[in-house]
Amino acid sequence: MRRLTLPPLPRRFDLGWIAAALLPLIGILPTLGDGVINAADGPLHVHRIRAMTILLESGNLWPRWVPYFHIGFGYPIFNYYPPGVFYLGGLLGMIGIDAQTAFALLAALAWILGSVGTYALAKRMLPAPGSLLAAMLWSYAPSRLFEVWHQGSLPQIMAAALLPWLLYGIVRVAGQPTRRNLLAAALPLAGILLTHLPIAYIAALYAGPLALIAPLWAARRRWHEFPRRFGYTAAGLLLGVALAAIYFVPMALELHHVSAASGAEDNVSYLKSNFLQPDEVFFQPRPIDLTDMSSGLPTTLGLVGGILALGGLLALLIKRRYALAALPALALAFTVFMLLPESLDVWLAIPFFRQLRAPERLLRIGAVLIALLGGASLLLLPARRRTLALIAALPVVLLSAIPLFYGNDDFIPMRDLTALDEIEFEWATYVWGTTSYDEFDPVWGESIPRPGEVPEPELYRTDPLRLVAYRLDLIRHPDELQAEELSTDTIRITTTAARPVRFHQYYFPGWEATLDGEPVEVYAEDEMGLLTVDVPAGEHVVRLRYAGTTAQQVGAAVTLLAIAAAAALVITDRASRPAPAITPPERDRPRSLNLRPAAIIGLTAIVFAALNAAYITPKTNWFRRQSPSNDPVYMQQPVHQPFGDAFELLGYTLHQDSVRPGGWLTVTLYWRPLRPLDARYHPRVQLVNLGVSEAWANNEPFFPGGSHTVGYTPDRFTSDIHTMQIRDSAPPHLGRISVQMIHSESGEVLRLPDGADRLLLDPLIRVRGGGPDVANALDYRLGDAVELRCASVEPQGDQLSITLYWRVRERVDRDLTVMVHGLDAAGNLIEQNDRPPLGPDYPAPFWQSGQTLVDRHTLPANPDLDAIAIGLYSAEGRLRVTHNGDAVPDDRILLPIEARTCTGD
């Protein structure tokens, strides 16, 4: 009997490719639940996939306008939001795969694609074991798991997976400039441009310099080759841009047609609120709490990845591979800087960069850089021990990521979607046109309608692309205007007089209409910008069609030419040897992974993925926490304070007791609904002074993570993180955190049982800082601890405004009171207003040495006033006053009734 033998693999086949493709399986399987992960963007992207399928099936080869989006008024979503990943989903839909499954398949494909791409990129500079470690670090980077479980942005997931392929393509074509290799740079760039603009913009910051550096490095021994290498690299990137022209040409030329062209007024404040703090950049995530409805995953580069990257940088320096160490290290340093608040000026200086809104987007390129440097950490070991170290390192990386594997474990069934499901989704979530900010609203019309009724909504189930007359016009003029739907795009209009007829569809360039078979002008009416056709009296048939614009046609033509050029490059390219590595290979460096380590790693990934999916996830709480609904495990301080009949503030976690002006204060609140909620609420959190007369920081977002409270139930709680920036102008003072709960629609503040409108958390928060820098114009010293540097007396109506500038020299150990006495010409007391310095906001025992404190007082503007006496006293008496070292009579400072200007040093 003959033995069954498998055909041999190609002689130079690297089993590391298979291992890299299998690595993400552990993370992929938990995402394949009964529905779509209930992440921030996931459900709306499923609706976009379904819309793309419907439009492709209708014969539209490259859809741009979705007629039923924006509650049936239509939306140019695919003209402005890159449609690439939705196009792939639509193609899957055309072969019978529903949108929910297509979403999951594309997310899994992106995960595998990015892992293999990172392996390919790392192999250009590292041994195979280090390259596979890099693939593992990328696959289980915290930003990858955050994207899958919390953000759910399928386009960003796919674009991030293409980033390592773009860098690989640039290095490849620079190292071996051939026609075919042009596509190695062109295809990933085109994919990113067609998938996600923010990632494309970020990619340009890194790919641009690399497109110059890689040819320089490849030609370092033959400088005359640099022009050719650079030319091929630039040509590859230009080809990628041309391949994506079908999208970005009309997007750029027609941007002025939508509200996004005006920009967002709040993007700077939103940007500032989303910077990472230094202790968050390299942070080990903790296990999620299954009882927590928000359970947001942290945005970080990860602690293990950071440690391995540091080891990799050290290894490259020890190996004297300085250029290879410097390039990713400098890129990573720039990435970390751009994640922090200190980079705000750079964000504002780069054109349009502020529109990215979320600095955490840079974690996607950061994950690639961490992976490359982390993979290089194996170079610290002799070559014969690297494979063993790889096998040992993979569980460490996996264990560091396991707390993020399970996300919120909340899936939404989204099979068999219809257009009506999308319309109802918009109403339920206020996500108009499946966008967060309704940024693609056409600019025509003085107001954008959002009427309470969709015309005959059930018909959208069977006829999703239906175009109908504007329903309210038919209701208002039933005897003068009637409409009958003859087909999806054809309407019979009957009118008693010639009139403009409005349709339930926004106007946008590219619409065409015929009246009784003859072309007729279509335009936007002034009130709401609706599609309008002038119809004569009588019975007429109107047919509407979105035919596209010249810019759209030009973009499509450029892309078709680019596709033809790409095909010609492949056909005419001569066969050539494989591209050399960017650095000379070491003598002991394996260029491929051997069978044994590849089998161990691959089988481990398969077995653990199966065990995790079949047992750990559904039947245990391993690697997760599950708190009682009234006692969160991560809550530091219990409160248990009811807010109306809607919420109970269970408590909070606060790790700060001080903050500087311009700095950030973070508090996590834990809320539990007291009943099933049927309304929307949101918290207002402020840092207020002790007198609750002024707020120095404010945070009033939508409820945790931007979600809505409708449907919240008492069996779970939600953690609510508030990060507030203290005003730059905040003086040194003490404050407390004020917490309120607001009914979002009415604006009503929920009351506490004692009738108060807010709860003040117990901890005192010190706002540090030196205060204003003023000249020492008076030079009075009061005791050993305080000096009066200058003062200002100014009339304000029937009052005198007195401003004192105290300089704290050393710690004050007692409460103080400011003596403010108004004296007549004879020195008699005729007005008085003694009170503590800075009122109740900053008691003297909390003052810190070196601070300048601005202290304001008033006295009645009595015409008999001749001077104002100032002093400080405590329960033991007045503080001794000296001036230039000499004692001052009565330990008081006399100020004339005239303005004195305090100037800065």
Side-chain angles (χ1 to χ4, degrees):
M1 184 175 179
R2 299 180 60 185
R3 294 175 59 186
L4 179 65
T5 59
L6 296 175
L9 291 169
R11 187 168 60 89
R12 300 186 63 183
F13 183 77
D14 179 9
L15 292 171
W17 296 105
I18 296 176
L22 291 174
L23 284 176
L25 191 63
I26 302 170
I28 288 172
L29 289 187
T31 69
L32 305 180
D34 185 18
V36 174
I37 298 170
N38 188 16
D41 295 339
L44 65 88
H45 288 154
V46 177
H47 281 294
R48 291 184 188 176
I49 290 174
R50 179 56 185 154
M52 183 64 79
T53 300
I54 291 171
L55 290 163
L56 288 173
E57 289 177 339
S58 73
N60 190 337
L61 296 180
W62 190 267
R64 299 180 186 274
W65 181 273
V66 183
Y68 65 86
F69 274 19
H70 215 295
I71 323 177
F73 283 99
Y75 212 55
I77 183 68
F78 297 134
N79 200 53
Y80 295 101
Y81 196 103
V85 72
F86 308 118
Y87 199 90
L88 293 177
L91 294 176
L92 292 176
M94 293 184 70
I95 61 174
I97 297 175
D98 63 83
Q100 170 185 300
T101 304
F103 180 97
L105 289 176
L106 289 171
L109 173 65
W111 213 328
I112 295 170
L113 190 66
S115 177
V116 175
T118 303
Y119 183 74
L121 174 62
K123 278 196 67 177
R124 305 292 298 181
M125 55 194 75
L126 297 175
S131 301
L132 195 58
L133 178 57
M136 184 70 171
L137 285 168
W138 183 91
S139 295
Y140 295 105
S143 61
R144 166 77 9 194
L145 296 162
F146 171 88
E147 191 67 72
V148 170
W149 285 105
H150 185 76
Q151 190 64 38
S153 174
L154 184 60
Q156 189 161 268
I157 289 173
M158 184 63 75
L162 292 172
L163 280 173
W165 285 105
L166 174 61
L167 302 181
Y168 165 79
I170 293 173
V171 173
R172 182 182 178 92
V173 71
Q176 186 181 0
T178 66
R179 296 177 185 177
R180 183 171 298 186
N181 281 345
L182 288 177
L183 298 181
L187 293 179
L189 178 59
I192 293 172
L193 287 170
L194 288 170
T195 303
H196 198 253
L197 272 187
I199 294 297
Y201 202 175
I202 290 169
L205 293 180
Y206 297 81
L210 182 62
L212 176 63
I213 294 171
L216 282 171
W217 179 255
R220 64 191 182 281
R221 292 185 177 90
R222 296 182 178 180
W223 291 110
H224 65 278
E225 294 183 357
F226 170 73
R228 179 170 176 266
R229 294 179 184 274
F230 177 73
Y232 269 76
T233 304
L237 296 177
L238 288 175
L239 179 60
V241 173
L243 287 169
I246 192 172
Y247 159 68
F248 79 82
V249 168
M251 182 277 296
L253 296 180
E254 297 177 348
L255 186 62
H256 62 283
H257 293 325
V258 294
S259 58
S262 61
E265 294 180 0
D266 66 339
N267 57 8
V268 175
S269 59
Y270 188 87
L271 173 66
K272 292 168 67 175
S273 69
N274 280 280
F275 280 114
L276 273 64
Q277 298 305 304
D279 61 346
E280 296 176 318
V281 176
F282 297 101
F283 170 76
Q284 175 55 42
R286 64 191 184 190
I288 68 162
D289 192 329
L290 296 177
T291 314
D292 189 347
M293 286 184 283
S294 64
S295 194
L297 302 181
T299 51
T300 178
L301 288 170
L303 180 61
V304 170
I307 293 173
L308 290 176
L310 184 61
L313 177 61
L314 179 62
L316 292 171
L317 293 175
I318 291 173
K319 295 283 186 179
R320 297 185 179 181
R321 298 166 73 174
Y322 301 121
L324 191 56
L327 189 58
L330 290 174
L332 182 59
F334 174 73
T335 302
V336 171
F337 170 71
M338 294 296 287
L339 293 169
L340 300 174
E342 289 75 12
S343 66
L344 178 62
D345 290 341
V346 179
W347 279 83
L348 300 182
I350 301 174
F352 306 112
F353 212 57
R354 68 181 69 184
Q355 302 297 337
L356 299 184
R357 294 174 173 269
E360 58 89 11
R361 294 187 194 274
L362 278 91
L363 292 173
R364 281 71 187 173
I365 187 68
V368 178
L369 300 169
I370 286 285
L372 293 177
L373 287 171
S377 64
L378 294 187
L379 296 178
L380 289 170
L381 301 174
R384 66 182 182 277
R385 299 189 182 276
R386 290 173 190 165
T387 300
L388 183 62
L390 166 67
I391 295 173
L394 293 183
V396 175
V397 175
L398 191 62
L399 286 172
S400 72
I402 276 182
L404 305 178
F405 273 14
Y406 305 99
N408 54 29
D409 201 24
D410 184 10
F411 291 83
I412 304 175
M414 297 188 71
R415 296 188 188 277
D416 303 319
L417 291 177
T418 68
L420 182 58
D421 293 324
E422 193 281 333
I423 292 171
E424 292 175 344
F425 170 79
E426 290 189 27
W427 270 118
T429 61
Y430 295 81
V431 180
W432 310 115
T434 71
T435 61
S436 299
Y437 304 97
D438 201 11
E439 57 264 41
F440 304 139
D441 259 329
V443 296
W444 292 270
E446 296 180 0
S447 62
I448 297 296
R450 291 175 185 160
E453 288 190 38
V454 175
E456 299 179 280
E458 287 300 320
L459 294 180
Y460 281 98
R461 294 190 186 276
T462 56
D463 190 5
L465 305 180
R466 59 195 289 254
L467 302 173
V468 298
Y470 185 49
R471 183 172 181 271
L472 294 183
D473 287 347
L474 301 177
I475 293 174
R476 291 166 183 162
H477 311 285
D479 298 329
E480 303 173 12
L481 180 65
Q482 293 89 39
E484 177 187 358
E485 295 180 53
L486 300 179
S487 65
T488 295
D489 59 359
T490 306
I491 309 99
R492 178 182 288 118
I493 301 294
T494 303
T495 177
T496 58
R499 61 180 300 143
V501 176
R502 301 189 294 184
F503 294 87
H504 192 92
Q505 198 77 185
Y506 289 142
Y507 171 80
F508 194 79
W511 277 105
E512 294 179 353
T514 62
L515 182 70
D516 298 328
E518 296 296 326
V520 66
E521 180 187 6
V522 60
Y523 60 94
E525 51 86 31
D526 294 335
E527 180 186 358
M528 294 179 292
L530 297 183
L531 203 63
T532 305
V533 174
D534 292 329
V535 178
E539 182 180 291
H540 302 277
V541 175
V542 177
R543 184 172 183 265
L544 300 171
R545 181 174 76 99
Y546 188 77
T549 64
T550 300
Q552 295 168 10
Q553 294 162 1
V554 169
V558 172
T559 292
L560 289 174
L561 290 174
I563 292 173
L569 290 174
V570 173
I571 294 171
T572 61
D573 188 39
R574 292 175 298 175
S576 58
R577 64 183 182 278
I582 193 170
T583 56
E586 299 173 3
R587 288 190 303 273
D588 60 348
R589 181 168 76 180
R591 297 296 300 150
S592 61
L593 202 64
N594 294 329
L595 176 61
R596 180 176 296 177
I600 291 174
I601 293 167
L603 288 175
T604 299
I606 293 172
V607 170
F608 187 82
L611 176 66
N612 185 47
Y615 180 74
I616 296 177
T617 298
K619 297 182 179 180
T620 77
N621 286 340
W622 296 356
F623 315 115
R624 292 159 285 179
R625 310 296 294 269
Q626 188 161 20
S627 300
S629 63
N630 63 348
D631 188 19
V633 66
Y634 295 125
M635 184 175 72
Q636 183 185 68
Q637 181 63 47
V639 172
H640 297 291
Q641 176 66 63
F643 282 70
D645 67 344
F647 279 99
E648 176 188 7
L649 179 62
L650 299 174
Y652 61 90
T653 294
L654 177 67
H655 297 297
Q656 295 173 256
D657 60 7
S658 65
V659 62
R660 61 176 177 81
W664 298 84
L665 177 67
T666 299
V667 60
T668 302
L669 307 177
Y670 295 86
W671 300 94
R672 185 178 71 89
L674 294 173
R675 54 177 173 80
L677 299 181
D678 56 2
R680 293 161 52 113
Y681 299 88
H682 69 270
R684 176 187 296 150
V685 180
Q686 299 170 304
L687 180 65
V688 299
N689 59 8
L690 297 184
V692 197
S693 61
E694 195 165 4
W696 295 105
N698 184 75
N699 189 250
E700 191 171 349
F702 291 115
F703 217 81
S707 63
H708 307 299
T709 56
V710 175
Y712 277 23
T713 54
D715 59 332
R716 299 182 70 184
F717 67 85
T718 184
S719 58
D720 177 22
I721 301 174
H722 292 265
T723 299
M724 302 175 284
Q725 185 176 29
I726 310 303
R727 295 182 192 172
D728 292 330
S729 60
H733 75 287
L734 291 179
R736 293 174 69 184
I737 295 174
S738 163
V739 180
Q740 296 176 291
M741 182 61 74
I742 315 294
H743 189 286
S744 298
E745 296 190 11
S746 68
E748 177 185 0
V749 178
L750 302 190
R751 296 283 173 170
L752 277 58
D754 62 2
D757 70 343
R758 71 188 67 215
L759 176 68
L760 297 177
L761 303 186
D762 289 336
L764 294 176
I765 306 297
R766 178 190 295 278
V767 178
R768 306 187 304 270
D773 190 15
V774 296
N776 191 6
L778 295 177
D779 195 22
Y780 284 99
R781 187 171 299 179
L782 296 89
D784 295 324
V786 182
E787 64 183 28
L788 181 63
R789 307 209 84 186
C790 69
S792 176
V793 180
E794 300 180 59
Q796 291 185 352
D798 59 354
Q799 297 284 316
L800 287 179
S801 175
I802 304 160
T803 305
L804 309 174
Y805 291 80
W806 305 108
R807 178 74 170 184
V808 183
R809 296 176 53 84
E810 59 185 55
R811 182 78 179 270
V812 178
D813 60 0
R814 69 196 76 175
D815 289 323
L816 298 176
T817 302
V818 182
M819 179 185 75
V820 182
H821 292 178
L823 309 178
D824 63 14
N828 299 314
L829 176 65
I830 58 175
E831 300 290 352
Q832 182 177 356
N833 187 13
D834 293 4
R835 66 175 180 84
L838 287 84
D841 294 335
Y842 199 16
F846 292 92
W847 293 358
Q848 292 187 313
S849 176
Q851 291 181 330
T852 299
L853 308 177
V854 183
D855 184 23
R856 293 181 172 86
H857 301 261
T858 61
L859 281 177
N862 190 324
D864 294 329
L865 283 175
D866 182 68
I868 298 173
I870 301 295
L872 288 174
Y873 62 88
S874 66
E876 289 79 19
R878 289 187 191 176
L879 271 62
R880 181 170 178 267
V881 179
T882 61
H883 183 249
N884 294 328
D886 298 327
V888 175
D890 299 325
D891 291 324
R892 63 182 185 177
I893 302 163
L894 297 180
L895 301 177
I897 307 299
E898 60 185 34
R900 182 186 299 271
T901 302
C902 292
T903 59
D905 287 328

